């Protein structure tokens, strides 16, 4: 099993322990992101991602999906991860965890824990800054090079 927090097996490349293209890491990553091999990888009609024993078998953490986005070079996977998180962030902030079956009710807030979770919001900021610098076309919709703090470089 892998947990939704950082550190985790999924986050090892972010922490400098292994390269994200290492064959052992890639095999581990496939197992972590599969409900067949990780009992805390949760799939539902409203959300999917890694959860953990502290929130039960219905709640996955958006933070785990953001780490998934940060540990791949597959742009389609990155976009899919961002869409998954966006679709459950109904209050404009990243929740701690989301019920994979019900999602988050926009009126009552039911279906989530902690309507804003500073740790997850910080990881979201890391995703945005990383994409701005490494893959600006994914978030800005234009080609070129973007340097955080400097802007577009022609």
């Amino acid at each position: 099993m892998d947990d939704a927090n950082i550190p985790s097996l999924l986050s090892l490349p972010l922490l400098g322990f292994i390269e994200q293209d290492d064959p052992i890491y890639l095999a581990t990553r496939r197992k972590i992101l599969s409900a067949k091999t990780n009992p805390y990888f949760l799939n539902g009609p409203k959300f999917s991602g890694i959860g953990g024993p502290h929130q039960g078998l219905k709640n996955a953490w958006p933070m785990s999906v953001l780490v998934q986005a940060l540990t791949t070079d597959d742009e389609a996977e990155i976009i899919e991860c961002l869409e998954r998180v966006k679709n459950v962030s109904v209050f404009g902030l990243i929740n701690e965890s989301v019920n994979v079956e019900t999602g988050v009710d926009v009126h009552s807030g039911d279906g989530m824990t902690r309507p804003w979770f500073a740790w997850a919001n910080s990881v979201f900021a890391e995703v945005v800054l990383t994409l701005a610098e490494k893959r600006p076309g994914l978030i800005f919709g234009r080609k070129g090079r973007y340097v955080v703090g400097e802007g577009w470089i022609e």
Side-chain angles (χ1 to χ4, degrees):
M1 75 153 283
D2 196 28
D3 194 72
N5 290 314
I6 300 170
S8 64
L9 294 172
L10 187 61
S11 71
L12 289 178
L14 301 176
L15 302 173
F17 286 103
I18 196 165
E19 296 297 319
Q20 77 181 36
D21 62 353
D22 182 282
I24 293 172
Y25 173 73
L26 292 172
T28 302
R29 188 177 192 277
R30 279 189 298 277
K31 291 190 177 288
I32 292 166
L33 297 174
S34 170
K36 291 179 182 177
T37 50
N38 180 0
Y40 292 105
F41 186 84
L42 309 173
N43 277 314
K46 299 293 185 177
F47 190 61
S48 64
I50 299 170
H54 41 284
Q55 294 298 342
L57 291 176
K58 292 287 183 202
N59 282 41
W61 289 44
M63 184 166 57
S64 74
V65 179
L66 296 169
V67 172
Q68 180 182 348
L70 284 169
T71 57
T72 185
D73 289 323
D74 182 335
E75 290 188 353
E77 182 179 0
I78 293 168
I79 291 168
E80 191 272 330
C81 288
L82 292 175
E83 285 296 315
R84 258 191 290 158
V85 171
K86 181 180 88 173
N87 290 339
V88 296
S89 301
V90 299
F91 300 116
L93 296 166
I94 312 301
N95 308 316
E96 177 188 35
S97 72
V98 174
N99 185 302
V100 298
E101 298 295 327
T102 65
V104 179
D105 183 282
V106 70
H107 302 292
S108 68
D110 289 344
M112 69 171 161
T113 59
R114 293 193 218 184
W116 70 276
F117 188 39
W119 189 2
N121 283 284
S122 297
V123 175
F124 176 74
E126 181 180 358
V127 171
V128 171
L129 292 173
T130 298
L131 291 177
E133 205 156 311
K134 294 183 178 179
R135 301 175 191 282
L138 285 181
I139 57 174
F140 296 122
R142 70 184 261 199
K143 300 220 183 264
R145 185 164 174 254
Y146 184 85
V147 177
V148 175
E150 295 179 32
W152 287 98
I153 298 189
E154 302 300 328

